[in-house]
Amino acid sequence: MGRSVPSVNRALDVLELFMDHPALSAPQIIDLLGLPRTTVHELLTTLADRGYLDAIPGAPTRYRLGMRTFQLGSQFADRLDLVREGQEAATEVANACDETVHVAVLDGTEVVYIAKVDSTHPVRMVSAVGRRLPAHCTAVGKMLLSGLSAEALDARYAHGTTLAVMTPNSISSPSKLRVHLREVAERGIAHDDCESNEAVHCVAAPAYDHTGRMAAALSISVPIIRWNAERGRELAVLVRSGAADLSSRLGHRGPARIAGSG
């Protein structure tokens, strides 16, 4: 293993400050990093010359991230593979709970399962990678629908229509679905209470990409014979953690964005 290069570390320390600050002055960077004034000015000059920082017009000692950082970030975003990252995140969650874990994306009024890790326990599931199910009947689907704007939701579900049902517990009314989705959005977690499979309960949480868009949802599915309130609370914590891990893998940092809101 080679040794860490101090000057490179200091340059990266400067760049990483801008992850939490849209603009910084040289004195602020000196205070935040505790580096000598001369060192900071040399670093800023070098990073600006290379296009990683821009001096703000009219304020030459204030800086913001430059185009070069955007180009690097774009290269990273382009190589992300949601299916691969989803499968890896799902595997970690499944290893932690030994239950079936899914990752799904929204397509119109349906969810498409893009990753799945099975439990070692025998259980019959209606899901499979590549399969589509009505979004309103599933925990992943309700989670993804909760991230839509009111306009985007109206475009998918007209008032007064009847929704398809998979079990007697499925939501069949668009108005009831809207009320339910507001609750899901407030909680940041969704449940499928035997709505797609009468023998299975699911809990799901959202995963966001580098733009702040809800890109997918991750769920844990448990047969009702192994489901109780305490187990539900444990899995809610785990599914949030797993979804957060997937968000991190997708480059997410910062607030979420409402889909269809502009």
Side-chain angles (χ1 to χ4, degrees):
M1 294 291 292
R3 70 180 184 87
S4 179
V5 180
S7 59
V8 176
N9 280 329
R10 287 193 290 268
L12 293 174
D13 287 340
V14 170
L15 289 176
E16 289 176 359
L17 288 177
F18 290 88
M19 296 172 71
D20 297 312
H21 304 277
L24 287 167
S25 67
Q28 287 174 315
I29 294 171
I30 291 168
D31 290 341
L32 288 167
L33 295 181
L35 293 174
R37 178 177 178 275
T38 300
T39 299
V40 168
H41 281 285
E42 289 175 347
L43 289 169
L44 291 174
T45 298
T46 301
L47 290 168
D49 286 346
R50 295 291 298 271
Y52 290 95
L53 292 178
D54 283 336
I56 297 176
T61 63
R62 285 184 63 78
Y63 294 84
R64 61 192 175 194
L65 290 175
M67 181 60 69
R68 198 64 173 165
T69 56
F70 171 76
Q71 291 171 327
L72 284 177
S74 296
Q75 286 292 320
F76 173 76
D78 287 344
R79 73 171 178 80
L80 288 177
D81 184 331
L82 178 56
V83 174
R84 183 188 69 240
E85 301 299 341
Q87 188 70 31
E88 291 183 3
T91 297
E92 292 189 6
V93 174
N95 288 340
C97 65
D98 196 19
E99 300 291 356
T100 300
V101 180
H102 299 94
V103 177
V105 297
L106 186 64
D107 184 15
T109 60
E110 297 178 317
V111 289
V112 181
Y113 291 92
I114 62 170
K116 179 182 180 183
V117 180
D118 287 309
S119 165
T120 62
H121 303 292
V123 57
R124 184 183 65 83
M125 302 292 297
V126 296
S127 59
V129 172
R131 183 170 184 186
R132 294 170 174 267
L133 291 178
H136 66 280
C137 294
T138 67
V140 285
K142 290 190 284 187
M143 191 72 256
L144 290 162
L145 290 172
S146 76
L148 298 177
S149 66
E151 295 75 15
L153 196 60
D154 287 343
R156 287 168 168 78
Y157 301 101
H159 289 273
T161 59
T162 300
L163 304 181
V165 298
M166 295 184 69
T167 77
N169 292 331
S170 302
I171 297 173
S172 59
S173 162
S175 60
K176 290 182 180 179
L177 177 63
R178 286 176 174 82
V179 172
H180 184 72
L181 293 179
R182 286 195 290 271
E183 297 172 354
V184 170
E186 290 174 2
R187 293 195 305 262
I189 200 160
H191 289 269
D192 167 356
D193 187 11
C194 304
E195 295 165 65
S196 61
N197 183 331
E198 291 187 78
V200 176
H201 193 113
C202 303
V203 58
Y208 301 93
D209 65 15
H210 66 287
T211 71
R213 179 182 65 90
M214 192 187 298
L218 184 146
S219 71
I220 302 173
S221 299
V222 185
I224 56 175
I225 59 172
R226 291 201 299 275
W227 180 268
N228 55 49
E230 181 179 357
R231 183 61 168 162
R233 287 189 293 270
E234 293 173 354
L235 295 181
V237 172
L238 182 58
V239 79
R240 287 182 192 273
S241 176
D245 173 49
L246 178 53
S247 296
S248 179
R249 291 170 181 269
L250 297 177
H252 174 67
R253 181 181 176 83
R257 178 170 63 84
I258 300 297
S261 60

